[in-house]
């Protein structure tokens, strides 16, 4: 049994395209299959709603697409700018109220940001503001390649010391690994706590594919991640 405590896990990343949705889908599926009631949200989407649709597919069906993603702006830009193009304005308080409402119904809430930690989400706020206001556990996703140590440490440096200690870094394997990808996990574990770092294998199938979680190395990684998230 996974020792989950009622909490919000905020999936952020070192950049857009880092693998946040891939990881959020895997964690959601893993917890659902373990009998944990979990909600996976992507409150703010810009461009398409593919991430929200992927999270819907990974979920048990307790939420509608509009609950998973209440704010969708069409332009493929930072959500702040995409919203302004539609003469709309999104405030931090609106997103907080939505996530807190969902939190009343689900013990575990997984929230995917948009872009990286400091990408503007709405008027005067970004993912960092959401993490702090929600007192969420930060999950930092970073492609495992040359530069990953610097990028993941920069994200952790932007968090308060307390949140950085709580954070987990997930190095996402790439299709064609580079030399640094092999040494990154050890080096990162040396500068952080070893339990704060894990490596997600390359899936070889689309990120939202239901059988991704059945790949043995993938489920082992998610199990270890879940233990580190809630075993503190
Ligand atoms: N471990 C992996 N195995 C296979 N594919 C992966 C893996 N990690 C990421 N990808 C692929 O990389 C691409 C980007 O991943 P993903 O969409 O999850 O990133 P993101 O951080 O959510 O991006 P966005 O900023 O658009 O929300 C996707 O096509 C995804 O399937
Ligand atoms: Mg995404």
């Amino acid at each position: 049994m996974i020792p989950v405590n009622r909490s919000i896990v905020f999936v952020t990343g070192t950049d857009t395209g880092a693998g946040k949705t891939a990881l959020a889908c895997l964690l959601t599926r893993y917890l659902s299959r373990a009998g944990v009631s979990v909600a996976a949200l992507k409150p703010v989407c810009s461009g398409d709603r593919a991430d929200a649709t992927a999270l819907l597919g990974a979920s048990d069906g307790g939420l509608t697409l509009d609950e998973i993603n209440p704010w969708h702006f069409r332009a493929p830009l930072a959500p702040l700018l995409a919203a302004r193009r539609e003469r709309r304005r999104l405030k931090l308080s609106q997103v907080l109220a939505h996530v807190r409402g969902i939190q009343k119904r689900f013990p575990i809430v997984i929230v995917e940001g948009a872009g990286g930690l400091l990408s503007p989400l709405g008027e005067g706020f970004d993912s960092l503001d959401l993490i702090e206001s929600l007192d969420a556990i930060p999950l930092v996703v970073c492609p495992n390649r040359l530069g990953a140590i610097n990028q993941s440490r920069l994200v952790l440096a932007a968090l308060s010391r307390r949140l950085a200690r709580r954070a987990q870094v997930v190095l996402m394997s790439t299709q064609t690994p580079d030399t640094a990808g092999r040494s990154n996990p050890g080096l990162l574990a040396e500068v952080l706590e070893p339990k704060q770092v894990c490596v997600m294998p390359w899936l070889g199938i689309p990120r939202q594919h239901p059988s991704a979680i059945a790949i043995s190395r993938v489920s082992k990684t998610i199990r270890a991640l879940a233990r580190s998230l809630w075993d503190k």
Side-chain angles (χ1 to χ4, degrees), residues 3-167:
V4 295
N5 300 322
R6 180 167 272 279
S7 46
I8 299 175
V9 177
F10 197 102
V11 184
T12 185
T14 49
D15 202 356
T16 183
K20 299 183 299 292
T21 307
L23 186 74
C25 285
L26 290 168
L27 187 57
T28 302
R29 250 184 235 285
Y30 177 82
L31 292 172
S32 299
R33 286 184 183 190
V36 177
S37 175
V38 53
L41 310 179
K42 169 100 182 184
V44 190
C45 281
S46 53
D48 61 31
R49 289 177 109 185
D51 286 8
T53 310
L55 294 174
L56 176 67
S59 306
D60 258 354
L63 291 174
T64 64
L65 184 62
D66 287 337
E67 285 175 315
I68 291 170
N69 170 230
W71 294 281
H72 172 223
F73 309 111
R74 285 183 299 278
L77 297 168
L80 171 69
L81 293 181
R84 285 182 182 170
R85 287 221 173 163
E86 297 176 26
R87 299 182 189 285
R88 294 165 70 191
R89 287 179 184 271
L90 179 59
K91 292 195 292 189
L92 175 63
S93 57
Q94 294 173 274
V95 182
L96 292 178
H98 178 70
V99 177
R100 286 180 180 138
I102 299 289
Q103 195 186 18
K104 291 195 179 114
R105 295 160 51 193
F106 295 85
I108 303 294
V109 182
I110 297 171
V111 182
E112 181 186 342
L117 183 75
L118 301 182
S119 303
L121 286 181
E123 299 295 328
F125 75 96
D126 51 34
S127 291
L128 177 57
D129 296 300
L130 280 174
I131 292 171
E132 284 175 345
S133 306
L134 294 167
D135 196 28
I137 304 173
L139 224 174
V140 180
V141 181
C142 179
N144 188 17
R145 59 184 175 221
L146 190 63
I149 306 284
N150 174 58
Q151 287 167 357
S152 48
R153 291 186 77 198
L154 278 173
V155 170
L156 293 180
L159 300 171
S160 69
R161 219 180 262 183
R162 193 177 72 85
L163 286 170
R165 267 202 305 271
R166 239 196 206 183

